[in-house]
Amino acid sequence: YRGSLTTIILRLLEQEGKMYGYEITQKVKEMTGGRMKIKEGALYPSLHKLETEGHLKVAVEKVDNRIRKYYSLTPQGEKEVVSMLAELKEYMENMQAIMNHKLSY
């Protein structure tokens, strides 16, 4: 998933509304049958970067005597996810065309 973590995060938050970090890692693991695992060392820097760029907002809540940070999309983040998904779709279509192209020698 190298290079696509930002897209994964934004898409999940678009679908789920708000999530905390560990929840994101578990959802990806569940959705991919364990084939994709996001490490905290990759996730949290991406979340912080998206927050700094104005794509995410953070709400702190106390859950079972623990402080939990929930991430959700800002209006700018909602626009960004639409743009990123369009780019990803185009990329996948181009890769499909390349992979299915019969080479002639």
Side-chain angles (χ1 to χ4, degrees), residues 3 6-11 14 49-51 53-56 73-88:
T6 298
T7 305
I8 291 168
I9 292 168
L10 292 175
R11 178 63 172 159
E14 178 192 45
K49 183 173 187 269
L50 287 166
E51 181 185 2
E53 292 171 346
H55 300 304
L56 299 182
L73 296 178
T74 62
Q76 181 181 333
E78 290 171 6
K79 291 177 186 169
E80 183 68 14
V81 73
V82 169
S83 173
M84 291 185 96
L85 290 174
E87 287 178 22
L88 179 60

Side-chain angles (χ1 to χ4, degrees), residues 35-54:
R35 292 181 304 275
M36 185 181 285
K37 296 175 185 154
I38 297 176
K39 294 187 168 111
E40 289 182 19
L43 176 66
Y44 287 101
S46 292
L47 288 169
H48 293 272
K49 183 173 187 269
L50 287 166
E51 181 185 2
T52 301
E53 292 171 346

